[in-house]
Amino acid sequence: MSGGWEHLLLNTLALAGLALALALPLALGTAVYLHLFARTRVLRRLLRLGLQLLAAVPSVLIGLLGFWLLVVRLGLGWSLLSGGLTLGIMLLPGLAATTEAALAEVPAGQREASLALGADVAQTLRHVDLPAALPGMLAGVVLAVARAVGETAVVLLTVGTAWGPQGLGGERLLEPGRTLAVELYLLATEGGSAAATWRCALLLVGVGVVATVLTRLLGSRRSA
Amino acid sequence: MRRDQLLRQVTGLLALCAALALLLLLGMLLAESRPLLGHEAPLGLWRAVWAPSQGVYGLGGLLLGSVLTVGLGLLVAALPGIWLGAWLAELAPTAAGVLVRLAVDALATVPGVVLGFAGLWLLAPLIRTHLGGPGLSLLAGALVLAVAMLPTVVTLTEAALRAQPRAWRDGALALGATRRLALATVLLPAARPRLRGVLALALGRGVGETMALVMVTGNAVALPHSPLDSVRTLTGNLVLEMAYATGVHRSALFVSGLLLLLVTGLCLLVAGAWREEGAA
């Protein structure tokens, strides 16, 4: 346990960061497209249905996709990069849904006023819609980070369980590693020191509680 | 306006990428399932025996393990969940409601691996000493799943009740019913289709739960004869064997993934249909 503690945290944070880096642009693009441009009913319903289905896919299957596509086919191996990208796919539908909901709550009058003043849609998005929707979007991001931190099945399938490399170089991203959640799984099932096990469990619960309170402060509820 | 055109194209492309993820998943499952589907007669897949070392890949037992565990879990979670949701929607004093909602939301963020650890540390020994059996069992899995599904049931029940027309409750109250009576005789019966939808959604979530079940069900491939026996679920089997499976065995795991996707998709569709019936 000694000395490795920090790198469990570091791996966990790296995965969450990578996942957001993939999921945020995609989710934002999807939400904006749904909000502003998907004008026909059929297209909107189809896109929404797809997102709902993707959100309902068990995370272990998303893990399987990451394993098949990234670890094996693209040859990234069990690595932080594979895991981060796979987690990104897992987070995508939830983030898109919270972002779209936040955009939908912006009063239409504000948008119309901006358009009436001669701003184009892109300017209105940047200066009116997005600033007003920011708290709701942040709440979605906070929940997404909490999910990424606690996810275990996906990480087992795409990052492995290796007591990963120390240090912080960029090449670390292509090496396998172990996250806090996986450490808890191994400690609990293979019998590790009780103190270490409890420390992991409490940290993971703590992340969830902090995320819940933060979302509440940002003024929105988890959409179930 | 050229900029708007560009924005439209870029966001449309991003949305397309998002939709692609689902197609990719389906394509992978179908393509990788082929070797087994060619190797086995379709009926053979439903056998209860899963014995990769002997080349026997029956998914029936795993499916049964998932269904029994999730079904029993939902049986445990349904009543308390609906009761708590109804209490939050209609009866809770403001301050208490805020606190309970916060607790329910926090419970929803607890990762499966932590629930599994709690089950391993608390539940399994209790079952072993007081009820017998190995402790790591169907019952332990069901109880842990009940905790995992509870927030879903509570939150969606509250939303379903709140989505009903206010006039129904106001009418009942105007006729002299207490809030409790209005809930029991008007609001809950009227919400029945929606509540069925809520339970179907919870079922879909439960079937997908992986880590909590792997940790507490014991994962024996034999069929359980009682709730105190060990079981293995579809999700558990995937995560335990994927890393080392090759050839037909590997393909069989992808087939089990396809089955898992079908089951969760079915739950979602049924839930959607019931909720629409409730909204009509």
Side-chain angles (χ1 to χ4, degrees), chain B residues 118-132 134-136:
Chain B
L120 208 57
W121 172 77
L122 178 72
L123 219 47
L126 276 179
I127 292 175
R128 187 167 51 232
T129 44
H130 293 286
L131 300 173
L136 297 175

Side-chain angles (χ1 to χ4, degrees), chain A residues 25-26 29-30 32-33 36-37 45 47 50-54 56-62 64-65 67-69 72-73 78 89 92 120-123 125 143 146 150-153 156-157 181 184-185 188-189 197-198 201 204-205 208-209 212-213 216 221-222 224, chain B residues 1 3-4 7-8 11-12 14-15 17-19 21-22 24-25 28-29 32 98 101-102 104-106 108-114 117 120-121 151-152 155-156 158 205 208 210-211 214-215 235 238-240 242-243 250 253-254 257-258 260-261 264-265 268 276:
Chain A
L26 285 173
T30 310
V32 167
Y33 186 77
L36 293 179
F37 299 117
R45 287 197 73 165
L47 206 50
L51 287 175
Q52 274 175 16
L53 280 172
L54 191 59
V57 171
S59 66
V60 64
L61 288 184
I62 304 286
L64 198 58
L65 177 63
F67 174 76
W68 177 80
L69 184 70
V72 179
R73 295 265 150 151
W78 276 304
I89 300 176
L92 170 61
D120 59 24
V121 174
Q123 286 168 327
L125 181 70
L143 283 177
E151 179 56 45
T152 312
L156 277 177
L157 284 168
L184 173 59
Y185 170 62
T189 50
T197 318
W198 279 98
L204 288 171
V205 171
V209 170
T212 311
V213 172
R216 200 54 72 85
R221 254 199 115 196
R222 174 179 58 90
Chain B
M1 294 300 114
R3 193 159 45 168
D4 289 355
L7 183 68
R8 183 197 172 96
T11 55
L14 290 171
C17 288
L22 197 62
L24 211 58
L25 179 72
M28 164 192 81
L29 289 175
E32 294 289 332
V98 168
R101 270 185 215 106
L102 199 64
V104 170
D105 283 1
T109 65
V110 174
V113 65
V114 175
F117 165 59
L120 208 57
W121 172 77
T152 309
T155 310
L156 292 179
E158 190 191 351
R205 294 244 169 129
T210 308
M211 296 318 294
V214 166
M215 293 168 78
T235 50
L238 258 176
V239 88
L240 287 173
M242 196 62 220
R250 184 165 179 276
L253 289 176
F254 279 96
L258 196 58
L260 185 61
L261 189 66
T264 46
L268 189 70
E276 256 172 48

Side-chain angles (χ1 to χ4, degrees), chain B residues 95-184:
Chain B
V98 168
L99 278 180
V100 171
R101 270 185 215 106
L102 199 64
V104 170
D105 283 1
L107 182 59
T109 65
V110 174
V113 65
V114 175
L115 292 178
F117 165 59
L120 208 57
W121 172 77
L122 178 72
L123 219 47
L126 276 179
I127 292 175
R128 187 167 51 232
T129 44
H130 293 286
L131 300 173
L136 297 175
S137 57
L138 202 168
L139 182 64
L143 292 177
V144 167
L145 257 190
V147 176
M149 290 190 286
L150 191 70
T152 309
V153 178
V154 173
T155 310
L156 292 179
T157 297
E158 190 191 351
L161 287 174
R162 282 186 189 278
Q164 302 195 83
R166 282 189 67 104
W168 295 355
R169 184 190 46 192
D170 293 347
L173 295 182
L175 287 171
T178 58
R179 285 180 159 261
R180 212 169 275 273
L181 190 66
L183 188 62

Side-chain angles (χ1 to χ4, degrees), chain A residues 30-51:
Chain A
T30 310
V32 167
Y33 186 77
L34 267 170
H35 184 60
L36 293 179
F37 299 117
R39 279 288 162 245
T40 65
R41 252 180 91 83
V42 180
L43 184 61
R44 243 194 340 251
R45 287 197 73 165
L46 214 61
L47 206 50
R48 285 225 177 86
L49 184 69
L51 287 175

Side-chain angles (χ1 to χ4, degrees), chain B residues 204-265:
Chain B
R205 294 244 169 129
V207 171
E209 176 55 53
T210 308
M211 296 318 294
L213 292 183
V214 166
M215 293 168 78
V216 302
T217 56
N219 300 309
V221 286
L223 289 183
H225 295 289
S226 90
L228 299 178
D229 285 344
S230 166
V231 283
R232 183 182 285 214
T233 61
L234 281 169
T235 50
N237 189 54
L238 258 176
V239 88
L240 287 173
E241 298 190 355
M242 196 62 220
Y244 66 85
T246 53
V248 180
H249 179 196
R250 184 165 179 276
S251 175
L253 289 176
F254 279 96
V255 175
S256 78
L258 196 58
L259 185 62
L260 185 61
L261 189 66
L262 284 178
V263 174
T264 46

